[in-house]
Amino acid sequence: FWFLCGFDAEQDLVGSLASMSSNERIKAIQKMPETMRKKREIRNKVLKEITKKSRHRGAQCTQRARGVLFRRFGNALSEFFQQMQPWHKTLKIIGAEFGTSVLSYFVFLKWLLNFNIFSFLINCGFITIPQFLAGEPNNLSFTGLELLTGAGYFEQTVLYYGFYTNATISKVENGPSYNMQLAYIFTVGTYFVICFLILLVSMARFFSRNFVNSQAFSVKASKLLCTWDFNITNEKAVKLQQKNLLTQIKERLTEVNKEVVNFSVKERVVRIATHLLAWVLSLASAVAACTGVYFLSDNNLKLFMKGYSNDLQRQAAMLVLPVIVSLLNTLIPFFFSWLGHLEKFQTPGQHIYVTIIRNIILKMSIVGILCYYWLNSVATSESQCWETLVGQDIYRLVLVDFLFCLLGSFFGEFLRRIIGTTVCMSLGLPEFDIGRNVLDLIYAQTLTWIGILFSPLLPGIQMIAFLIVFFVKKVSLMRNCQPPRKVWRTAQMTTSFILLLFCPSFLGVLSVIGVTIWRLKPSEECGPFRGLPSMYASVDEWIQTLESYTVSKWVVWIYHNLISSELFFFIISTVVLIVIYLYWQIIQARKTMSKLIRNQIIN
């Protein structure tokens, strides 16, 4: 015990001496009432302790240096990938030059582009590649017209539903097999479930940011005092940041300093009459367009099934429906924009939202007419593979709509700039039409969702189209358009875009896909579901097979008691509604508390 106490005391002494400076340590050792031999032992122990500590500190410094290097490498890698993205710098320039209203369109376009990349990877990985490896060579000749019509050579490729086999794919004898029926229906079903969740999460995130916690992202004194990034040293980056900050401050000041215009009774009556007339004209044009599409689609199948003397006439007949539909979808929105200018809304936001509502009525009505035509006329026709016919129709609609979108940029913006700067100087440069362009994106994405079941590679085609549209619109915006005359802040714009994409677009697509899978009879001679009463019957057959295996009893139980049970979905829906109601009440309480705290700060 005494030995241990003495050892601890000596260790404490060595530790205290090691922490002293060199001069203090020498004086302290000299003053000790010990022999010279003992003093030398203590000094040697102190030097060893100092050496040990210095090594430990060196190791710590090395670890810290490595951590700093790894962090710097990670930041540099992140910045490199950001710079590699084609839209990274573009979005900053657009936000600085044209404000958040125009920027919201390009952010939405980028979001849809990423969405289609994800769709393409899922379909290609689980449906297309297995069929491509097991498929037979294509003996049809390629003429080049197929790129425009989607027919001919492409009919015998993985582009369309009819080429996919209903057999179990196995490249090695007695090896693992791949059930194409289950892969097809489960991939499509899982994809739509993931899309549903992504849209819900995106809406919740944007709603929370722009409606619930909008004060946390508001532009007030913090924009002036705390926003500047002092790491910026490049002169171009500094000017771009200045423009961006200036635009945001202008938008915030416009929102704060809103002027309430008081109209006389006569002016109010005139404005109400103008709005009513504009709505009557817009609805009448939408009804007329839908009526024309209905009768044209009714005759389209007859034209397609009719025999032609040469292939050129047949190809031209295929393009009648998509060209007329795309022409209506391009010209009528210009008419809606003109009506909006006549109505003279007080804010640009009102003009954009009204234009969006009119366009969504037009485009979704046309899509509804086309879906009715596909599910009632084409699906009950005498064609050997009606699913491939639907896939070809959607392919042509997507492609022709993309071409008309590019032509719309040329005629709607480029020629308008020429006219406004040379012929009629009073018109000036055009402004970027957000409502029309956003609805073009939603319409194109709706067609892509419908076509996934009939043409699994359609998201890849739409991905390329969106990428080209991004750069064409960017160049057209920079060269032909001017910033909005009235600066205004659009915090809720992206939320509204995703909400419109969810409803009516995505929910309408789910109903079409549901009817196709559960109600319609697949073709007898093509596709993975040939010979079945419905596409969903493949799942029933798979469950019946699993019932004979004891290991898979839990899958059968889940299917019968959860997936195919209406009571389960009713309970889930009720729980979801209760949770939504509780969260809504929590949000209201937090907003009330935020107002009270803000008033306390003001007081």
Side-chain angles (χ1 to χ4, degrees), residues 529-547:
F529 304 103
R530 67 189 76 175
L532 296 176
S534 67
M535 294 183 182
Y536 192 74
S538 61
V539 179
D540 291 331
E541 290 184 357
W542 178 60
I543 292 297
Q544 290 176 2
T545 305
L546 291 180
E547 288 178 350

Side-chain angles (χ1 to χ4, degrees), residues 241-258:
Q241 182 73 0
Q242 286 175 344
K243 283 185 178 180
N244 209 333
L245 183 58
L246 179 63
T247 304
Q248 292 180 26
I249 293 173
K250 283 182 180 179
E251 291 174 351
R252 182 60 186 176
L253 290 176
T254 305
E255 186 178 355
V256 172
N257 301 324
K258 280 184 180 178

Side-chain angles (χ1 to χ4, degrees), residues 6 18 82 102 104 107 113 116 124 166 168 250 263 300 304 326 362 367 381 384 387 390 447 476 478 514 560 585-586:
Q82 282 185 345
V102 178
S104 61
V107 171
L113 180 59
N116 281 280
C124 192
N166 64 338
T168 301
K250 283 182 180 179
F263 297 102
N300 183 67
F304 183 77
S326 298
L362 169 70
V367 171
S381 66
Q384 291 182 350
E387 295 91 347
V390 174
L447 290 178
S476 178
M478 296 296 182
H560 287 301
Q585 293 300 317
I586 292 171

Side-chain angles (χ1 to χ4, degrees), residues 87-98:
W87 47 76
H88 176 67
K89 187 178 179 181
T90 301
L91 294 180
K92 287 187 176 181
I93 296 173
I94 292 173
E97 296 285 347
F98 296 90

Side-chain angles (χ1 to χ4, degrees), residues 75-313:
N75 293 335
L77 202 62
S78 176
E79 290 178 4
F80 172 75
F81 282 121
Q82 282 185 345
Q83 295 296 333
M84 288 294 290
Q85 292 178 356
W87 47 76
H88 176 67
K89 187 178 179 181
T90 301
L91 294 180
K92 287 187 176 181
I93 296 173
I94 292 173
E97 296 285 347
F98 296 90
T100 56
S101 57
V102 178
L103 177 64
S104 61
Y105 166 80
F106 286 90
V107 171
F108 184 59
L109 176 54
K110 186 196 78 168
W111 189 85
L112 285 178
L113 180 59
N114 293 331
F115 207 88
N116 281 280
I117 292 173
F118 165 74
S119 309
F120 173 72
L121 292 177
I122 285 184
N123 286 353
C124 192
F126 292 98
I127 299 178
T128 305
I129 292 178
Q131 177 62 42
F132 182 78
L133 295 175
E136 298 178 356
N138 192 344
N139 297 321
L140 298 177
S141 60
F142 182 77
T143 62
L145 285 173
E146 291 88 348
L147 293 173
L148 193 61
T149 63
Y153 178 83
F154 288 146
E155 292 180 4
Q156 298 299 320
T157 63
V158 291
L159 181 61
Y160 293 120
Y161 164 94
F163 182 73
Y164 290 83
T165 180
N166 64 338
T168 301
I169 299 173
S170 179
K171 299 297 290 184
V172 182
E173 189 176 353
N174 297 326
S177 59
Y178 195 81
N179 191 324
M180 183 52 70
Q181 283 187 349
L182 297 179
Y184 204 101
I185 194 168
F186 281 140
T187 300
V188 173
T190 305
Y191 166 73
F192 277 108
V193 170
I194 294 173
C195 288
F196 181 79
L197 295 176
I198 289 175
L199 287 172
L200 280 183
V201 171
S202 300
M203 282 193 299
R205 182 165 56 88
F206 283 111
F207 182 83
S208 174
R209 174 171 180 172
N210 297 322
F211 289 91
V212 181
N213 300 321
S214 58
Q215 292 295 326
F217 298 92
S218 63
V219 187
K220 292 189 177 179
S222 60
K223 278 291 177 189
L224 291 173
L225 303 176
C226 310
T227 297
W228 189 258
D229 185 1
F230 288 94
N231 291 323
I232 298 176
T233 56
N234 184 272
E235 186 177 353
K236 290 183 179 179
V238 168
K239 290 182 179 179
L240 185 62
Q241 182 73 0
Q242 286 175 344
K243 283 185 178 180
N244 209 333
L245 183 58
L246 179 63
T247 304
Q248 292 180 26
I249 293 173
K250 283 182 180 179
E251 291 174 351
R252 182 60 186 176
L253 290 176
T254 305
E255 186 178 355
V256 172
N257 301 324
K258 280 184 180 178
E259 294 183 4
V260 180
V261 181
N262 295 319
F263 297 102
S264 62
V265 176
K266 182 180 178 181
E267 289 174 336
R268 288 180 182 175
V269 171
V270 171
R271 288 179 65 84
I272 292 172
T274 305
H275 291 319
L276 287 176
L277 180 62
W279 273 105
V280 169
L281 291 175
S282 61
L283 291 176
S285 60
V287 170
C290 291
T291 304
V293 171
Y294 174 77
F295 287 108
L296 182 63
S297 61
D298 191 43
N299 294 321
N300 183 67
L301 188 62
K302 298 176 184 177
L303 289 171
F304 183 77
M305 301 299 292
K306 179 183 175 182
Y308 290 94
S309 57
N310 58 57
D311 189 61
L312 187 61
Q313 290 182 350

Side-chain angles (χ1 to χ4, degrees), residues 465-485:
F466 279 159
L467 190 62
I468 296 173
V469 166
F470 185 93
F471 287 106
V472 170
K473 291 293 182 183
K474 182 202 78 169
V475 173
S476 178
L477 176 71
M478 296 296 182
R479 299 290 179 88
N480 303 321
C481 299
Q482 65 172 341
R485 293 184 181 92

